[in-house]
Amino acid sequence: SYVLTQPPSVSVAPGKTARITCGGNNIGSKSVHWYQQKPGQAPVLVIYYDSDRPSGIPERFSGSNSGNTATLTISRVEAGDEADYYCQVWDSSSDHQVFGGGTKLTVL
Amino acid sequence: QITLKESGPTLVKPTQTLTLTCTFSGFSLSTSGVGVGWIRQPPGKALEWLALIYWDDDKRYSPSLKSRLTITKDTSKNQVVLTMTNMDPVDTATYYCAHPVVTAPEYYFDYWGQGTLVTVSS
């Protein structure tokens, strides 16, 4: 089955840029969606179809996808961005959804 | 405004069957293109997709759990029910239902319920 690989943790200072990767075999040919999850809360969609932002999500959140890596980029990081982030794709070979292992973003 | 809420037991014994209900509002499962999905998350671990049911009663299941899962809908009550048989302590998790934005066969989840923690223990 299709596997998505995320780094367990990423740390960034406030005001800097955080990049969270999601690796998968030829992931650039798939649509990638990203969720933010704060402790004790349900996930929130932050990016869909690689780079689209739902209404209400700050422009500081952006996404890209090419080759074997998709990337969620958070510019001008704020303390409130500290959360777990998950990528998600649809695996056509098995017709089911796949989530990455999640990345904990720590704001220093 | 779309809302979803999960309900069911907080504690089940090993080998028992878990039945969870997702009650939703703001959309109808009789509308073409609509679905409801289930996702779970063991404590401190990652999200795991479980199942999805479409408006036309088409169903999709996680391959690794397919033999244990059943998803059904009651359109008149705006509810979706997930059953999981032969529960084990490793099934301890927060179970979420969510509304997908469907561009068949792909979808992503734009609204999530608050989740319900199910503990499997004797």
Side-chain angles (χ1 to χ4, degrees):
Chain A
S1 62
Y2 195 76
V3 176
L4 294 174
T5 301
Q6 297 183 239
S9 63
V10 168
S11 298
V12 63
K16 299 300 185 181
T17 298
R19 293 179 179 84
I20 298 172
T21 59
C22 177
N25 184 33
N26 197 25
I27 196 173
S29 66
K30 302 180 181 296
S31 297
V32 180
H33 317 293
W34 291 91
Y35 302 88
Q36 175 194 68
Q37 186 181 34
K38 296 181 179 179
Q41 298 184 20
V44 172
L45 180 72
V46 293
I47 292 288
Y48 63 99
Y49 286 126
D50 297 342
S51 59
D52 290 337
R53 234 180 3 262
S55 60
I57 300 301
E59 292 183 5
R60 301 184 296 104
F61 287 80
S62 62
S64 63
N65 184 18
S66 178
N68 292 318
T69 305
T71 303
L72 172 68
T73 301
I74 309 172
S75 305
R76 303 180 300 282
V77 167
E78 303 173 356
D81 298 331
E82 191 163 278
D84 294 327
Y85 290 85
Y86 294 92
C87 55
Q88 177 221 328
V89 301
W90 173 68
D91 179 19
S92 58
S93 64
S94 58
D95 191 16
H96 75 282
Q97 303 297 316
V98 179
F99 286 97
T103 297
K104 181 177 180 58
L105 176 67
T106 299
V107 181
L108 301 171
Chain B
Q1 179 190 2
I2 290 176
T3 64
L4 307 99
K5 187 173 184 178
E6 308 85 354
S7 60
T10 58
L11 179 66
V12 297
K13 296 184 185 324
T15 76
Q16 287 186 335
T17 295
L18 171 68
T19 300
L20 294 173
T21 301
C22 176
T23 303
F24 56 86
S25 62
F27 65 96
S28 172
L29 257 179
S30 61
T31 301
S32 177
V34 175
V36 171
W38 286 92
I39 304 97
R40 72 177 179 179
Q41 184 175 37
K45 296 189 177 181
L47 300 169
E48 179 183 18
W49 174 79
L50 298 177
L52 183 126
I53 189 166
Y54 290 101
W55 80 100
D56 60 358
D57 212 38
D58 192 13
K59 302 166 187 177
R60 296 289 185 271
Y61 295 103
S62 165
S64 62
L65 293 168
K66 185 174 184 177
S67 63
R68 299 173 54 205
L69 293 174
T70 303
I71 190 170
T72 59
K73 63 181 175 68
D74 186 329
T75 304
S76 65
K77 293 183 178 179
N78 280 353
Q79 290 182 333
V80 170
V81 174
L82 182 75
T83 62
M84 180 180 292
T85 61
N86 194 24
M87 292 292 285
D88 183 272
V90 299
D91 297 313
T92 293
T94 296
Y95 288 76
Y96 296 98
C97 63
H99 172 270
V101 175
V102 178
T103 307
E106 299 195 41
Y107 54 88
Y108 57 89
F109 297 106
D110 61 345
Y111 291 92
W112 295 63
Q114 65 190 21
T116 185
L117 176 61
V118 178
T119 300
V120 184
S121 175
S122 55

